[in-house]
Amino acid sequence: MDHESKRMKSRSILLSLAVFLLSPTFTTANSSATALDRFTLPNGMRVLVRERHANPLVAVELWVRAGARDETDGERGSAHFLEHTLFKGTSMRGPGEIDSAMEDLGGALNAATGPDYARFYTTVSSTHSEAAVAILADVVRNATLPAGEIEKERGIILDELAVRDTDPHHRLQELLYANAFERHPYRYSSGGTSTGIAALRRDTLASFYHRTYAPMRCTLVLVGDISIEAAKH
């Protein structure tokens, strides 16, 4: 077997194994769920709403098309780095005030980064859903990226990557993507690498932020005790 055939066979084995290990399980348990309503705001942001009134809670999520695939060679790790630093100050709130504002609503603000997205999410009482949306909007549109906070988060991210790199599941996924995609940006780690995170500077993060965090790249998702009419207003 020649080198190229061996390489293709290796990719096929990796792909089959990863599909087995990584694929989610789909069910039809929610087939009777209420219909999903969707609309687009004048600024281009998409909104998805599903009413579920069993509990007085609303899950609020903001998805931004600003993942690792959107990074250029000099920006590797920017999507993950921003996930950590957007909370650290805006033109309206200083460091720590964003978390406090969400906690005052009885929620906690969380975030995640993937190859295609950055995701910001919380769950609050339905009476506070509008305020929660306003906080999320402040985070993704008005971040100031304080230099001191960036340096604090750099160490936290490096520790996080060190732990991640000891996870066999993660190592398998990284190996799969690196072999399956020779040119597509999916071949790069969505969390970045230690070398890349250590080298990133504030101006690079700011450039990635201003280029990718725009309304037409955002989708707001509201699920729970909220009416479609209320969501539209």
Side-chain angles (χ1 to χ4, degrees):
M1 182 181 294
D2 59 32
H3 178 72
E4 184 62 25
S5 296
K6 290 180 179 178
R7 190 176 183 182
M8 293 301 294
K9 183 177 181 181
S10 175
R11 288 182 184 177
S12 177
I13 293 172
L14 281 170
L15 181 60
S16 298
L17 181 59
V19 167
F20 174 75
L21 293 175
L22 305 177
S23 294
T25 300
F26 295 95
T27 69
T28 58
N30 295 321
S31 59
S32 61
T34 56
L36 179 69
D37 191 82
R38 63 189 72 196
F39 55 93
T40 301
L41 299 179
N43 64 4
M45 186 175 77
R46 291 170 294 277
V47 182
L48 307 181
V49 184
R50 172 163 283 168
E51 294 187 42
R52 289 184 176 177
H53 301 286
N55 298 295
L57 299 172
V58 178
V60 182
E61 300 204 3
L62 187 63
W63 294 70
V64 186
R65 189 156 45 88
R69 66 171 295 172
D70 298 291
E71 298 166 350
T72 63
D73 286 341
E75 297 174 330
R76 301 298 174 202
S78 292
H80 184 198
F81 213 136
L82 281 178
E83 174 207 318
H84 281 251
T85 54
L86 293 183
F87 298 91
K88 303 303 179 178
T90 71
S91 57
M92 299 173 60
R93 297 178 172 90
E97 293 181 7
I98 292 168
D99 286 330
S100 294
M102 192 65 78
E103 289 167 3
D104 287 344
L105 303 181
L109 187 54
N110 294 293
T113 306
D116 302 292
Y117 64 85
R119 173 192 175 212
F120 304 88
Y121 57 100
T122 189
T123 299
V124 296
S125 166
S126 53
T127 58
H128 297 316
S129 58
E130 184 175 352
V133 171
I135 293 172
L136 282 177
D138 186 31
V139 168
V140 300
R141 292 299 293 155
N142 302 318
T144 54
L145 307 178
E149 297 299 319
I150 286 175
E151 293 311 313
K152 290 179 184 177
E153 290 303 311
R154 192 188 307 276
I156 294 173
I157 297 170
L158 290 173
D159 288 343
E160 185 179 289
L161 293 181
V163 173
R164 181 201 69 178
D165 289 342
T166 64
D167 180 6
H169 181 277
H170 169 77
R171 295 299 298 157
L172 171 63
Q173 182 172 335
E174 295 281 282
L175 183 60
L176 165 70
Y177 277 58
N179 280 272
F181 300 98
E182 290 187 337
R183 299 182 181 181
H184 194 283
Y186 279 171
R187 73 186 317 273
Y188 298 107
S189 170
S190 59
T193 64
S194 297
T195 301
I197 294 296
L200 280 173
R201 296 295 173 258
R202 184 188 180 281
D203 58 346
T204 303
L205 292 174
S207 176
F208 182 80
Y209 170 61
H210 291 300
R211 190 179 79 247
T212 57
Y213 278 71
M216 66 286 299
R217 299 174 68 93
C218 295
T219 300
L220 176 66
V221 182
L222 303 169
V223 178
D225 186 31
I226 185 172
S227 69
I228 294 172
E229 291 73 20
K232 289 182 176 180
H233 297 88

